[in-house]
Amino acid sequence: RLMAACFLKFARDLGYKASYFNLVFANNEASVRLWESMGFKRVAHVPKCARLKGCEGLIDAFGYHYDLESLPQEFDPISASLR
């Protein structure tokens, strides 16, 4: 969670306007919860896009977007990671 919060701050401070994670597998519940709890919006759903070792059948994936221009200037990654 701290790494995700630091990523948001550093990406914004480096001048990036947005972030997009293109393959968050639906069966990775921890990642889905993390990105959604950090304010990322699910903007894509790719059905049956991957065959993963240890999983039966094809797995869906999601794409997540974050508008870095909406991140408050006073954003503190440490405080954000403790929420």
Side-chain angles (χ1 to χ4, degrees):
R1 190 161 172 83
L2 178 59
M3 187 166 50
C6 287
F7 164 78
L8 290 174
K9 179 175 177 19
F10 293 137
R12 193 255 340 257
D13 291 352
L14 287 169
Y16 290 92
K17 305 299 182 198
S19 174
Y20 183 74
F21 293 116
N22 65 335
L23 276 178
V24 178
F25 293 110
N27 66 336
N28 188 340
E29 295 173 9
S31 286
V32 169
R33 275 194 313 273
L34 171 67
W35 299 128
E36 291 180 1
S37 74
M38 295 300 294
F40 281 75
K41 303 295 181 216
R42 187 184 303 179
V43 295
H45 177 203
V46 184
K48 300 179 182 179
C49 69
R51 187 177 314 279
L52 302 178
K53 187 176 182 175
C55 297
E56 191 167 320
L58 294 169
I59 305 299
D60 292 1
F62 304 127
Y64 283 95
H65 174 267
Y66 194 98
D67 176 5
L68 293 168
E69 293 181 307
S70 71
L71 192 67
Q73 195 59 40
E74 66 279 358
F75 180 77
D76 175 28
I78 294 173
S79 295
S81 70
L82 298 174
R83 286 187 217 136

